Amino acid sequence: MNLLEKEALITTKAEELESATPQEVIAWAVETFPNITFACSFGAEDVVIVDMLQKISPSTDVFYLDTDFHFKETYETRDAMAERYNLDFVRVSPEITPEEQAERYGDELWKSDPNACCNIRKVEPLTRILSQYDAWITGIRRDQAPTRANAKKIEYDVKFGLVKFNPLASWTSEDVWNYIRENDVLYNPLHDRNYPSIGCEHCTRQVMPGEDPRAGRWAGSEKTECGLHK
């Protein structure tokens, strides 16, 4: 399927999939694009999609970006999910270690230039892994941030050059947690400690009552996205 054919298919299916359930979106995605992968960050939305994928297409690749800076609870969630689903998560790591990064760019690059840090530890590895696929699935929702408000359930990802599926785009946080409870899905325990959005340990803090759910990401800076979705 060439680019023009993909764009025509996306245009045709976007409206139809808008009213589809996440499971229906995933089922159509894996059937239409067998060479597809899911990017898992082990947050609430992503553990939901892992659970759905295991019921719909357990052979679909699931990868995670190992920045080397995740919370220990995130790694523990990964291990618990791998055991429950007998799933081998594909580990995608940066080309340089934290020590090499410090030598080249100085200590605590995430403070002096968070965009550069995200580019090294997230964007470049993501670009590398996605180059092997025709489509990818994400756990983003429209009400998470203004930058995600216009996300469609299927769209062409110009930045990475492949088809992108956002099955939970129309869901609310309540929808996500209802699914977790109803299906007894494992989730990161940091969510129970006022971490609604979980990224790297250096750049994520607890969110206080009344704050925006993503206020804990890159607090004190104007940065709102790591560069994976915008």
Side-chain angles (χ1 to χ4, degrees), residues 156-221:
Y156 188 74
D157 192 328
V158 176
K159 181 169 186 174
F160 297 108
L162 73 172
V163 180
K164 180 178 181 179
F165 289 90
N166 307 308
L168 305 183
S170 63
W171 269 23
T172 63
S173 178
E174 184 178 0
D175 292 327
V176 171
W177 285 100
N178 283 341
Y179 184 95
I180 288 173
R181 288 188 289 266
E182 291 168 5
N183 294 273
D184 189 30
V185 177
L186 289 168
Y187 65 89
N188 194 321
L190 289 175
H191 288 308
D192 293 331
R193 305 175 203 161
N194 297 321
Y195 286 90
S197 178
I198 304 168
C200 294
E201 188 171 13
H202 298 305
C203 300
T204 308
R205 67 161 174 80
Q206 290 175 304
V207 172
M208 298 299 104
E211 287 188 312
D212 182 272
R214 287 182 66 82
R217 304 294 297 278
W218 305 287
S221 75

Side-chain angles (χ1 to χ4, degrees), residues 50-173:
V50 167
D51 187 76
M52 290 179 178
L53 264 176
Q54 291 306 296
K55 295 170 180 175
I56 297 168
S57 178
S59 63
T60 294
D61 290 346
V62 180
F63 75 88
Y64 71 102
L65 301 175
D66 191 351
T67 65
D68 299 303
F69 296 146
H70 289 309
F71 288 91
K72 69 177 181 62
E73 289 87 350
T74 300
Y75 290 114
E76 290 167 355
T77 301
R78 174 203 60 189
D79 294 343
M81 293 182 69
E83 181 176 356
R84 170 174 287 194
Y85 298 111
N86 191 28
L87 176 61
D88 290 325
F89 290 103
V90 178
R91 178 179 181 266
V92 182
S93 57
E95 291 189 332
I96 61 175
T97 66
E99 293 75 22
E100 290 170 333
Q101 178 172 302
E103 289 175 4
R104 295 186 194 182
Y105 304 101
D107 291 333
E108 301 185 332
L109 181 61
W110 53 88
K111 287 184 179 179
S112 61
D113 192 343
N115 287 324
C117 189
C118 281
N119 190 64
I120 293 168
R121 314 213 72 77
K122 290 185 177 182
V123 180
E124 187 283 325
L126 180 65
T127 303
R128 190 169 3 109
I129 186 70
L130 290 185
S131 69
Q132 303 173 29
Y133 295 92
D134 298 321
W136 70 309
I137 301 169
T138 86
I140 67 173
R141 295 186 293 105
R142 292 172 189 147
D143 69 357
Q144 287 174 320
T147 51
R148 302 179 179 188
N150 297 317
K152 295 180 173 61
K153 293 187 179 179
I154 176 175
E155 53 194 10
Y156 188 74
D157 192 328
V158 176
K159 181 169 186 174
F160 297 108
L162 73 172
V163 180
K164 180 178 181 179
F165 289 90
N166 307 308
L168 305 183
S170 63
W171 269 23
T172 63
S173 178

